[in-house]
Amino acid sequence: MFKSSLIALCCAVPTTWILWNEMRKNEELLGELQGLVDRDRLTDIATRDYFFSRMSANPDAYGVSLMVDIDNFKSINDTFGHFAGDKVIREVATTLAANIRPDDIVCRFGGEEFALFLHQHHQDEGLEVAESLRQLVEAMSLNYEGQIIEVTVSIGGSLKQRIETIETAIKEADVALYRAKNGGRNQTIFSTVG
């Protein structure tokens, strides 16, 4: 009886350790996969999917939605190359992320475009933050292989009321963004809707 218990124990301990180790590895892999879904690989800011997931978890959030687009980005790629363009996207993303509050969120919306949500900001506060971000980007001096790249952004903003969806607020901010771009770029315009 003692011998069979000892054999069972000798088999159970390594088996338990192997199973525990495999479960730990699976959890680590799951965390890495989630990171790939949640974080943009180029900029290390939130992905668009994560942005909408986080916003849908709090549908009655109130605040300001911003759409930010790097001005004349195609000419940056054409003049300095795509690696320089990547550096510009990374630096703009870093500047945006470093100058918002921890409760706010910034994501790479697509290409050279970013979406931000400033929680519990009123329109005047959102305009102030947006203008500050625009000026910080304009003041950046990007050196790429000995060449200085001047970067500006256009920003469109809208107020998200508690009763409207984030998609509606983003659409309104996007309309304002195109007004800013069509009006000469390197400016912030807020939606007149809402």
Side-chain angles (χ1 to χ4, degrees):
M1 179 81 167
F2 175 73
K3 189 176 181 182
S4 61
S5 295
L6 186 59
I7 291 171
L9 183 61
C10 288
C11 292
V13 170
T15 302
T16 302
W17 184 85
I18 290 169
L19 289 173
W20 174 84
N21 196 39
E22 289 302 312
M23 288 173 55
R24 186 185 55 78
K25 286 180 187 175
N26 286 341
E27 285 181 25
E28 287 175 7
L29 286 173
L30 184 60
E32 288 177 29
L33 287 173
Q34 193 62 52
L36 291 173
V37 171
D38 293 347
R39 308 302 294 176
D40 178 67
R41 289 176 61 191
L42 178 65
T43 62
D44 197 37
I45 61 173
T47 61
R48 181 179 175 149
D49 287 342
Y50 179 78
F51 178 88
F52 282 110
S53 172
R54 185 164 156 198
M55 293 304 298
S56 67
N58 188 10
D60 63 343
Y62 171 85
V64 170
S65 298
L66 299 176
M67 291 297 295
V68 178
D69 189 70
I70 299 172
D71 294 327
N72 302 308
F73 185 73
K74 183 180 182 322
S75 70
I76 292 171
N77 274 343
D78 291 347
T79 304
F80 300 100
H82 287 86
F83 291 118
D86 287 349
K87 181 175 182 174
V88 168
I89 290 171
R90 273 193 305 275
E91 293 297 323
V92 169
T94 299
T95 299
L96 297 175
N99 291 285
I100 59 173
R101 300 170 308 169
D103 288 348
D104 299 334
I105 184 171
V106 59
C107 80
R108 186 167 176 207
F109 201 73
E112 70 277 4
E113 207 165 43
F114 304 90
L116 290 85
F117 186 73
L118 309 174
H119 285 277
Q120 309 228 341
H121 273 66
H122 297 284
Q123 185 164 322
D124 292 343
E125 297 167 317
L127 180 59
E128 190 175 305
V129 171
E131 264 303 288
S132 174
L133 294 171
R134 186 193 64 73
Q135 291 168 5
L136 286 166
V137 170
E138 185 179 28
M140 288 186 331
S141 183
L142 282 172
N143 185 326
Y144 182 77
E145 296 182 350
Q147 297 180 304
I148 301 299
I149 303 174
E150 302 293 331
V151 181
T152 61
V153 293
S154 296
I155 302 176
S158 71
L159 186 62
K160 182 195 174 296
Q161 305 289 349
R162 293 186 190 284
I163 58 171
E164 75 182 334
T165 65
I166 189 61
E167 291 83 5
T168 300
I170 291 288
K171 286 177 189 174
E172 291 171 9
D174 213 27
V175 169
L177 170 66
Y178 283 98
R179 286 180 36 224
K181 291 185 87 58
N182 291 334
R185 296 184 173 86
N186 192 23
Q187 60 182 316
T188 301
I189 293 184
F190 261 71
S191 169
T192 55
V193 179

